[in-house]
Amino acid sequence: MSTQRPMVEVRGARKSFGAVEVLRGIDLSVDRGQIVAIIGPSGSGKSTLLRSINHLESLNSGEVWLDGVQVNQPLHGQAFERHINKVRQQMGMVFQHFNLFPHLTVLENISMGPIILKGMTKSDAHALAHSLLSKVGLADKIDAYPSRLSGGQKQRVAIARALAMQPKVMLFDEATSALDPELVDEVNAVMKQLAAEHMTMLIVTHEMRFAGEVADRVLFMDGGVIVEEGPPGDMFRAPQKERTRTFLKKYLSA
């Protein structure tokens, strides 16, 4: 049996916004190369959990670990800034909205992070950007500006930009929910390719079919807790909890 440590571990995560407790003691462990889909109704805490993993949201209590290093270390000031910037370089995050720099070309958007944060030479960063754009099917858009791209193309550039930092884990927060339906599949195809390459991924999604195709595990969240989790076949065919059944009935019959 492997005793390999988890790639991502969340222990006793609690988070409140004012009087509203959004995460209520979440424990989560994700192994290296595992793909975990997180589903649940709006307001269930899915995005807050994902954002707390790379400390875009700071927990009120609990710990987050990445590959044996505590993300939310009890440091202060510049010491914490240095620490969190280093840790975040190892986590790629793709948001609902693409957050590309409009004044930079696709090439510049992708290569800027490796040059500035990793000290990569411009020529190496450009070569990496070329290879990643080929991977996401956009090699012909390398000199384009974001305003010239469709939503699906922008999101694929955003994925390439995250991958350029050569992260240990990829976090997807509703990566396709802002896209027109016909553009969703092209982004999902890239995520499926990453899954086939055993990239560790946590994916918050409303797309049950996609979750069933790519995930090793599905977590159903509601009310700030993980209500139920399991392999997608079990979760979608025979959920154990009434809250899960009610939620999935609505989505799977749509």
Side-chain angles (χ1 to χ4, degrees):
M1 284 290 290
S2 170
T3 56
Q4 199 175 59
R5 66 182 171 223
M7 179 59 82
V8 175
E9 195 168 9
V10 179
R11 304 173 186 166
R14 291 186 176 274
K15 174 68 177 176
S16 298
F17 295 109
V20 181
E21 196 172 21
V22 184
L23 299 178
R24 296 164 52 202
I26 298 282
D27 294 308
L28 170 63
S29 181
V30 181
D31 290 333
R32 189 179 305 270
Q34 195 171 52
I35 295 105
V36 175
I38 305 171
I39 64 171
S42 296
S44 59
K46 307 183 300 293
S47 290
T48 302
L49 173 60
L50 204 69
R51 291 168 65 87
S52 69
I53 289 172
N54 71 351
H55 203 71
L56 287 174
E57 299 287 357
S58 56
L59 295 174
N60 295 109
S61 62
E63 298 176 356
V64 178
W65 294 75
L66 173 71
D67 200 15
V69 174
Q70 187 176 349
V71 175
N72 59 338
Q73 285 187 14
L75 301 170
H76 300 285
Q78 287 190 322
F80 184 75
E81 287 303 311
R82 281 194 298 272
H83 161 71
I84 200 62
N85 288 338
K86 188 175 177 184
V87 169
R88 281 185 182 144
Q89 289 178 35
Q90 300 172 58
M91 297 192 223
M93 181 127 190
V94 180
F95 300 90
Q96 184 173 339
H97 299 289
F98 325 112
N99 299 344
L100 299 177
F101 294 109
H103 61 291
L104 300 180
T105 65
V106 166
L107 173 65
E108 292 164 336
N109 263 285
I110 294 171
S111 58
M112 186 171 73
I115 292 169
I116 294 174
L117 297 171
K118 292 198 138 181
M120 198 177 278
T121 66
K122 188 180 265 193
S123 61
D124 284 351
H126 286 186
L128 178 61
H130 276 276
S131 76
L132 288 169
L133 282 170
S134 296
K135 183 188 189 84
V136 301
L138 290 173
D140 59 330
K141 300 294 185 186
I142 197 153
D143 295 318
Y145 285 89
S147 61
R148 309 296 298 171
L149 303 178
S150 71
Q153 290 170 334
K154 288 177 188 171
Q155 195 60 298
R156 285 187 280 157
V157 171
I159 293 171
R161 181 179 61 180
L163 291 172
M165 294 301 291
Q166 298 166 316
K168 293 180 174 181
V169 61
M170 287 286 286
L171 310 174
F172 293 92
D173 189 10
E174 301 280 12
T176 59
S177 62
L179 300 178
D180 293 333
E182 65 270 20
L183 301 177
V184 168
D185 285 347
E186 67 187 52
V187 175
N188 282 348
V190 174
M191 293 163 70
K192 285 179 186 174
Q193 184 182 347
L194 293 177
E197 296 167 3
H198 304 292
M199 167 63 80
T200 310
M201 296 196 282
L202 286 91
I203 304 169
V204 170
T205 184
H206 276 111
E207 295 178 68
M208 302 304 134
R209 181 177 60 84
F210 174 69
E213 289 171 355
V214 303
D216 301 306
R217 281 162 64 205
V218 175
L219 309 184
F220 170 63
M221 287 186 68
D222 194 14
V225 299
I226 297 171
V227 175
E228 186 171 354
E229 65 173 288
D234 296 349
M235 287 288 288
F236 294 140
R237 279 196 295 273
Q240 301 298 303
K241 307 280 184 168
E242 183 57 38
R243 282 156 87 188
T244 318
R245 284 196 288 270
T246 304
F247 173 81
L248 288 173
K249 195 175 291 181
K250 188 175 98 175
Y251 271 91
L252 295 178
S253 63

